[in-house]
């Protein structure tokens, strides 16, 4: 499948779509157009809507002129689903040359019709009016019709959402986020917003991204000192002498019982001299580099007056809420400054952290199992077209695993039982890089082995 136009869409607004063939198309909220998904995702493929006039907007995946330039076929996608709507435009309606280029943005109105027999489409749009065209220069548009690698797309971040893969990932992730909130809200959990910038090292590993203004402030000071060098001792002494001189002048005027106007003017000159001295003394304190105190970085000069970091977890803060309002969860971005380039280590990711008051370990396991099953079933119910795309292009077994996890009870074993399984494996000459003994933290290789045991087939899909 070609990797071209397809921006993401809000799955939340589409999650309640009724697929009954008697249901008419659904207009996008806040826009006078029809979502392509509400046409093509019907059980009849949209054929039941034939004869209705609709407006659609989207980006041209592919386009071609036919009939010696008398009309053109467009494959239009608006990001609401992976499928494209076939659009037919006659040359009498609009110039075809500007419509057929991949990436062109169009907003058109026309009549839905059932195409001739033998075509794969169940419905097509015959355009009667073109409301808008956002033309594309084909010589500069970077996304061809051919498949593109994810590495290639890193150079065109602003166009990545138009690809089939990234738009599918966006819809799937959006659906999972919506499902996460739905699950916990349905079970009376309170959503807590925990700080992104924190002074706490929740994990205790110290692998955190630091938040500081000291570096940028130091750079500003350095540039300022190069542009305007600090005052010399002679400059400061001269300023002090001027303050003393102006002060004596004021005293003389007062002793001579001068007029109020003369005294006021002299006091103003004295204050001006004092302000100038203060500025010079302040500038003389400016030093290049990060401020230090007792040989260490002086964080009292930082924005928060102490060390601060991007959070690695909202657990510490959300636990305080659990001790006040019972069942809570946090769902937000977390950051890890780990120098590891593997699929298991991300610098930034979103994490779900529920906390339940008045619950035991069994309650926690029940919650975790129900949550995972809920997410799997949600994808099957609301994102099957995107999951089919993933199964076709990336992971052939992903849908089967979703179905299996959603419908299979999770087996549970204690830590001690897991260690016994591993020790038995070692006795049978199974080699592990990490030593197996009671009291260790289970490594990935240990978890993977236990998950693949015939006693626990459910874990195979998770490993």
């Amino acid at each position: 499948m070609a990797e071209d136009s397809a921006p993401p869409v809000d799955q939340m607004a589409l999650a309640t779509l009724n697929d009954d063939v008697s249901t008419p198309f659904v207009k996008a909220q806040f826009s006078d157009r029809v979502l392509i998904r509400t046409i093509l995702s019907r059980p009849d493929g949209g054929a039941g809507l034939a004869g209705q006039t609709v407006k659609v907007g989207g980006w041209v995946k592919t386009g071609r002129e036919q009939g010696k330039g008398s009309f053109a076929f467009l494959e239009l996608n608006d990001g609401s689903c992976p499928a494209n709507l076939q659009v037919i435009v006659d040359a009498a309606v609009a110039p075809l040359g500007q419509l057929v280029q991949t990436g062109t943005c169009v907003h058109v109105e026309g009549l839905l019709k059932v195409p001739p027999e033998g075509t794969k489409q169940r419905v097509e749009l015959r355009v009667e009016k073109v409301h808008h065209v956002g033309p594309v220069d084909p010589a500069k548009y970077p996304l061809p019709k051919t498949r593109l690698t994810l590495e290639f797309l890193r150079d065109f971040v602003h166009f990545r959402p138009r690809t089939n893969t990234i738009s599918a990932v966006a819809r799937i992730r959006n659906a999972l986020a919506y499902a996460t909130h739905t699950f916990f809200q349905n079970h009376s959990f309170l959503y807590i917003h925990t700080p992104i910038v924190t002074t706490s090292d929740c994990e205790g590993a110290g692998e955190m991204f630091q938040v500081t203004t000291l570096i940028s402030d130091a750079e500003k000071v350095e540039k300022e000192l190069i542009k305007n060098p600090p005052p010399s001792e002679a400059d400061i002494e001269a300023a002090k002498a001027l303050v003393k001189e102006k002060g004596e002048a004021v005293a003389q005027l007062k002793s001579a019982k001068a007029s109020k106007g003369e005294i006021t003017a002299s006091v103003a000159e004295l204050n001006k001299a004092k302000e100038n001295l203060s500025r010079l003394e302040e500038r003389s304190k400016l030093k290049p580099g990060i401020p230090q105190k007792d040989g260490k970085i002086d964080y009292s000069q930082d924005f928060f007056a102490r060390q601060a970091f991007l959070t690695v977890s909202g657990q510490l803060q959300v636990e305080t809420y659990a001790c006040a309002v019972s069942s809570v969860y946090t769902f937000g971005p977390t950051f890890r400054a780990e120098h590891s380039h593997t699929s298991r280590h991300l610098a930034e990711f979103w994490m779900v952290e529920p906390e339940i008051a008045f619950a035991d370990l069994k309650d926690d396991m029940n919650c975790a199992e129900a949550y995972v099953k809920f997410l799997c079933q949600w994808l099957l119910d609301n994102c099957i077209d995107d999951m089919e795309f993933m199964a076709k292009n990336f992971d052939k077994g992903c849908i089967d695993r979703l179905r299996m996890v959603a419908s299979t009870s999770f087996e549970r074993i204690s830590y001690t039982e897991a260690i016994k399984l591993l020790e038995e494996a070692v006795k049978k000459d199974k080699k592990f890089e990490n030593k197996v003994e009671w009291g260790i933290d289970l490594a990935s290789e240990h978890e993977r082995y236990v998950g693949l045991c015939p006693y626990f087939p459910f874990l195979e899909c998770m490993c």
Side-chain angles (χ1 to χ4, degrees):
M1 186 175 293
E3 286 288 359
D4 34 57
S5 317
V9 71
D10 186 354
Q11 191 81 17
M12 296 184 190
L14 299 174
T16 57
L17 177 65
N18 189 336
D19 285 331
D20 192 312
V21 293
S22 63
T23 303
F25 53 79
V26 179
K27 281 191 175 182
Q29 290 191 10
F30 317 118
S31 175
D32 187 23
R33 66 184 178 92
V34 173
L35 298 174
I36 289 177
R37 181 184 179 189
T38 66
I39 298 173
L40 301 182
S41 294
R42 293 160 51 94
D44 63 0
L49 299 176
Q52 299 200 45
T53 299
V54 299
K55 290 181 182 178
V56 297
W59 292 263
V60 176
K61 286 271 194 172
T62 61
R64 64 186 187 280
E65 294 186 37
Q66 297 283 9
K68 297 182 179 180
S70 60
F71 66 95
F73 286 107
L74 308 178
E75 293 290 323
L76 201 63
N77 189 286
D78 66 358
S80 61
C81 65
N84 307 320
L85 176 65
Q86 180 166 283
V87 175
I88 302 175
V89 188
D90 290 327
V93 175
L96 303 181
Q98 65 176 353
L99 295 174
V100 297
Q101 303 299 335
T102 297
T104 301
C105 177
V106 298
H107 185 202
V108 298
E109 181 178 355
L111 189 68
L112 290 172
K113 301 184 69 174
V114 176
E117 290 186 13
T119 59
K120 64 178 182 179
Q121 293 82 13
R122 306 286 293 278
V123 70
E124 62 187 15
L125 181 69
R126 287 274 183 171
V127 174
E128 297 173 342
K129 187 175 182 180
V130 175
H131 293 284
H132 169 78
V133 176
V136 166
D137 183 350
K140 297 180 180 179
Y141 190 70
L143 303 183
K145 302 175 186 179
T146 56
R147 181 188 294 273
L148 303 174
T149 66
L150 296 178
E151 288 299 322
F152 173 85
L153 293 174
R154 287 181 179 273
D155 294 330
F156 303 98
V157 177
H158 56 306
F159 281 124
R160 288 201 306 170
R162 294 195 181 190
T163 63
N164 294 330
T165 298
I166 300 302
S167 61
V169 169
R171 287 188 293 269
I172 291 170
R173 177 166 176 161
N174 178 71
L176 290 172
Y178 186 33
T180 292
H181 287 295
T182 301
F183 174 84
F184 287 110
Q185 293 296 323
N186 286 349
H187 290 84
S188 301
F189 281 70
L190 192 66
Y191 178 34
I192 304 300
H193 297 260
T194 55
I196 295 176
V197 178
T198 178
T199 58
S200 303
D201 181 0
C202 182
E203 298 293 333
E207 296 168 331
M208 306 174 72
F209 288 105
Q210 188 166 342
V211 178
T212 180
T213 58
L214 291 179
I215 297 175
S216 58
D217 288 347
E219 290 176 344
K220 291 178 183 177
V221 169
E222 187 172 347
K223 291 179 180 178
E224 174 64 21
L225 292 177
I226 293 174
K227 185 177 181 180
N228 299 303
S232 63
E233 288 292 334
D235 294 331
I236 294 177
E237 290 301 321
K240 288 180 178 179
L242 182 60
V243 168
K244 182 178 180 181
E245 178 186 329
K246 296 298 181 182
E248 292 173 349
V250 170
Q252 290 176 0
L253 288 173
K254 288 182 177 180
S255 64
K257 296 183 179 180
S259 66
K260 183 178 180 180
E262 289 178 312
I263 294 176
T264 300
S266 183
V267 169
E269 290 182 1
L270 173 61
N271 289 335
K272 185 176 181 180
K274 287 181 177 180
E275 290 175 1
N276 181 59
L277 173 60
S278 178
R279 286 195 298 269
L280 290 176
E281 288 178 333
E282 190 68 27
R283 283 187 53 77
S284 69
K285 297 176 183 178
L286 294 178
K287 304 294 182 183
I290 295 176
Q292 294 195 349
K293 184 177 181 180
D294 300 330
K296 298 180 181 180
I297 296 176
D298 185 6
Y299 285 105
S300 67
Q301 304 299 314
D302 207 350
F303 186 89
F304 296 105
R306 61 185 297 185
Q307 280 186 287
F309 308 90
L310 293 179
T311 183
V312 298
S313 168
Q315 182 178 353
L316 288 179
Q317 289 85 357
V318 83
E319 284 176 346
T320 65
Y321 280 85
C323 293
V325 294
S326 300
S327 297
V328 295
Y329 72 104
T330 180
F331 181 36
T334 52
F335 308 85
R336 304 292 171 91
E338 297 178 348
H339 293 285
S340 180
H341 301 285
T342 72
S343 59
R344 295 173 60 85
H345 296 84
L346 297 175
E348 176 185 351
F349 57 96
W350 279 56
M351 184 157 61
V352 182
E353 296 176 282
E355 295 289 342
I356 313 173
F358 313 109
D360 57 20
L361 181 58
K362 183 178 179 181
D363 296 320
D364 285 344
M365 289 190 290
N366 289 339
C367 178
E369 179 176 344
Y371 171 59
V372 172
K373 287 183 175 181
F374 186 84
L375 292 188
C376 293
Q377 191 60 51
W378 188 277
L379 289 181
L380 293 171
D381 293 340
N382 298 285
C383 277
I384 191 63
D385 47 2
D386 285 310
M387 292 309 303
E388 287 173 347
F389 171 82
M390 291 298 175
K392 178 180 178 181
N393 293 278
F394 296 98
D395 185 349
K396 298 185 184 304
C398 62
I399 294 178
D400 290 336
R401 288 202 306 277
L402 287 176
R403 289 176 176 147
M404 188 268 287
V405 174
S407 61
T408 304
S409 296
F410 288 17
E411 295 290 341
R412 302 171 186 182
I413 61 172
S414 67
Y415 170 82
T416 299
E417 290 172 320
I419 291 296
K420 286 182 178 179
L421 284 174
L422 294 170
E423 288 176 337
E424 290 175 4
V426 171
K427 291 178 181 178
K428 296 178 181 178
D429 294 329
K430 171 65 179 177
K431 303 296 183 183
F432 293 109
E433 293 183 7
N434 299 277
K435 186 178 180 180
V436 176
E437 61 183 4
W438 200 97
I440 66 166
D441 291 334
L442 294 181
S444 296
E445 59 175 342
H446 302 145
E447 295 172 349
R448 188 176 299 110
Y449 178 82
V450 173
L452 292 175
C453 282
Y455 306 107
F456 310 108
F458 79 99
L459 284 174
E460 185 173 356
C461 70
M462 307 295 289
C463 295

